[in-house]
Amino acid sequence: MIPLAADARVLVFDVNETLTDMGPLTDRFTAAGLPGRLLPLWFAGVLRDGVALTLAGGHASFAAVARDGLCAMAADEGLPEPRRAADQILAGLTELPLHPDIPEGVRALRAAGFRLLTLTNGAAETTRAVLDRAGLTDLFEAHLDVNTPARWKPARAAYAHALDTANVPAAAALLISVHPWDIDGAARAGLATAWLRRTRAPYPLARRAADLTAASLPELADRLNPPAR
């Protein structure tokens, strides 16, 4: 079990691909006239460009960066109205489903007394919309995005925003994410970390290793709150 502070066990969840399954956006790409295979390339580009802005001292919202990327792709594919195609795809973000293991895992962690927050490079409003449909919103005490610190994860200021909101030191918090770059950033900011492994790809050796690895959120809940023996 990870040694979190006994009086403030705070779990900070990444959202995109950690809580949500982005796969259904493939249908949005196709309906807008873009090949579905471009989805992972687009999302990787959004993260690259958002983080690049942070490194340069600038900031733009996820929606703005995401729209720019989609417009560029739509133009490259010869679509007559790139912005319309981009808006059609982005409208699907609030309709994304949760991964099947998330509801059970979230309820188990909340029942065990953990404090739960979300922290996304996307929009907090989108997080709420997705969790509302699953009836999970109120199990979290805060839904945060990076617009307040104006620094995209994995910048230290993004994680500090979550710690400030929870009013705990870094040693009292654990980040849960599928993204090794997110795990690495949180670890460098002093948080404990847990990697949800939703891929067959190995964890990259160039990143700081996660403190815990689990194949599902219920498995992680069991690891964090083992039964009394």
Side-chain angles (χ1 to χ4, degrees):
M1 182 174 179
I2 296 297
L4 300 179
D7 59 342
R9 298 191 301 169
V10 173
L11 306 182
V12 181
F13 285 81
D14 174 56
V15 178
N16 290 325
E17 296 189 312
T18 298
L19 297 181
T20 60
D21 178 3
M22 297 185 71
L25 280 183
T26 299
D27 292 338
R28 289 266 178 175
F29 269 69
T30 302
L34 289 172
R37 59 178 169 76
L38 292 179
L39 170 59
L41 181 64
W42 163 72
F43 185 60
V46 173
L47 294 175
R48 177 201 63 211
D49 293 347
V51 171
L53 273 171
T54 289
L55 290 173
H59 178 71
S61 70
F62 182 94
V65 176
R67 184 173 289 105
D68 284 346
L70 288 169
C71 285
M73 284 184 167
D76 286 344
E77 292 293 320
L79 299 187
E81 298 181 80
R83 184 162 293 277
R84 180 177 179 181
D87 289 343
Q88 183 177 347
I89 293 169
L90 291 177
L93 289 175
T94 59
E95 300 174 3
L96 291 177
L98 297 174
H99 286 290
D101 62 302
I102 293 301
E104 177 186 348
V106 165
R107 291 188 178 103
L109 289 166
R110 188 67 185 87
F114 287 97
R115 298 172 58 194
L116 313 181
L117 296 84
T118 61
L119 176 64
T120 180
N121 280 336
E125 293 78 9
T126 301
T127 302
R128 291 190 190 95
V130 170
L131 292 174
D132 272 346
R133 290 201 317 276
L136 299 177
T137 306
D138 292 341
L139 298 183
F140 294 81
E141 63 181 67
H143 298 292
L144 307 174
D145 57 37
V146 297
N147 287 325
T148 295
R151 306 283 289 172
W152 283 45
K153 293 187 296 175
R156 182 180 294 264
Y159 306 105
H161 176 46
L163 298 174
D164 290 345
T165 300
N167 194 28
V168 296
L174 178 144
L175 177 89
I176 300 170
S177 181
V178 298
H179 303 293
W181 57 262
D182 200 6
I183 296 293
D184 181 85
R188 293 178 191 277
L191 285 74
T193 56
W195 183 42
L196 282 186
R197 185 174 185 176
R198 299 197 188 281
T199 175
R200 288 178 293 179
Y203 193 91
L205 296 179
R207 305 284 188 182
R208 290 196 179 185
D211 295 301
L212 282 174
T213 297
S216 70
L217 194 56
E219 178 187 330
L220 180 60
D222 288 342
R223 298 280 301 280
L224 287 170
N225 192 53
R229 302 190 183 280

